[in-house]
Amino acid sequence: MADALELDALWAEFHRVVNMTSQELAAWLRVNDASEEAVAPPEHAGAPTGEAVLAILQKRRIDLTEDDLDVMYEVVDTVTAETGSERGPQRASEAEETRRRHRLMTLGHDPSRSRL
């Protein structure tokens, strides 16, 4: 298990990038799973990761498992990469932006709420 300082930093960073409440994420996962376009992104499992994020949001820090920490690192890395400056000045189409937003929301991050 990670040391206390590393765990504190990961906990804070995870809760910074996951800007949806557990209720919002649960509702989004139900809607997303029911949609006709529900397709997991090839590089990240959408719904299973979203369900893991939801479970983490409902836990106390002391109850985290190694698997939870792996998910937290993955979510922080993915959201940071997707919202970072490496996207460059090129504008994506509206459809691409919608898919990107939905993919991030499956991880608990609504990009329309904040800029990282």
Side-chain angles (χ1 to χ4, degrees):
M1 176 97 25
D3 68 23
L5 289 176
E6 185 179 351
L7 182 58
D8 288 345
L10 176 60
W11 181 263
E13 186 67 6
F14 177 79
H15 283 88
R16 184 181 73 82
V17 301
V18 175
N19 62 5
M20 295 170 68
T21 66
S22 59
Q23 294 86 3
E24 292 167 332
L25 179 56
W28 170 253
L29 293 173
R30 282 192 305 273
V31 167
N32 194 44
D33 285 345
S35 77
E36 293 178 15
E37 299 174 5
V39 178
E43 67 277 7
H44 303 307
T49 302
E51 292 293 336
V53 169
L54 182 59
I56 292 167
L57 289 174
Q58 297 169 340
K59 288 185 176 187
R60 298 176 305 164
R61 183 175 11 197
I62 196 166
D63 296 328
L64 296 173
T65 66
E66 286 294 328
D67 288 341
D68 293 334
L69 297 180
D70 291 342
V71 169
M72 291 170 74
Y73 279 116
E74 176 186 352
V75 169
V76 167
D77 290 346
T78 300
V79 171
T80 301
E82 284 277 332
T83 59
S85 60
E86 62 271 4
R87 290 183 50 80
Q90 163 183 346
R91 295 233 359 128
S93 72
E94 189 174 328
E96 289 169 336
E97 281 301 316
T98 298
R99 282 192 296 275
R100 178 180 161 273
R101 179 174 182 247
H102 290 178
R103 185 171 59 249
L104 288 169
M105 287 176 67
T106 300
L107 298 176
H109 177 78
D110 185 347
S112 69
R113 290 190 179 174
S114 69
R115 296 282 179 214
L116 293 179

